[in-house]
Amino acid sequence: MKVKFMDNSKQNNSIRLTLGKEYVVLSVEMFYNSSLGAKSLGDVVRYRIEDDDGIVIPFEADIFFVSSKKLPSNWVSFTPNRQQLEIVPATWAYQYFWDDYYNDKPEAIKVFLQERSIIYSQS
């Protein structure tokens, strides 16, 4: 799945995205959480992508245009809790994967790089 960055009005200055640039989506995350402004599951959708500095960050989906709907073969749906649904590679489908990844746990980094390679090759 690929998206094109189309709206920089919500962009945080510390995060670099290029207007009109296409990015590969690493995961899709849907939320039901009133503190995020959601009234039902899917009201808040985020795409986790690598920004221009190579940092993996979730971004609100509404700042992108979907340029390719092709989903990688390694993706599954996963519900880490009652207020969230993720579409991610199967090896990332556990509750604290992103915590492990951002905390540089070796196994999480290893499976991230393996699955990222598959995602990019199929996008």
Side-chain angles (χ1 to χ4, degrees), residues 64-90:
F64 297 95
F65 168 78
V66 176
S67 55
S68 171
K69 296 177 184 179
K70 181 181 177 189
L71 298 178
S73 63
N74 58 342
W75 282 14
V76 298
S77 63
F78 167 61
T79 51
N81 57 58
R82 300 178 93 192
Q83 296 180 342
Q84 185 174 352
L85 172 71
E86 295 181 12
I87 303 172
V88 296

Side-chain angles (χ1 to χ4, degrees), residues 36-62:
L36 296 174
K39 294 182 176 81
S40 62
L41 183 63
D43 280 357
V44 175
V45 178
R46 292 183 180 154
Y47 300 137
R48 201 170 292 253
I49 65 169
E50 291 180 278
D51 71 2
D52 293 343
D53 293 326
I55 299 169
V56 178
I57 300 173
F59 292 95
E60 299 294 323
D62 63 353

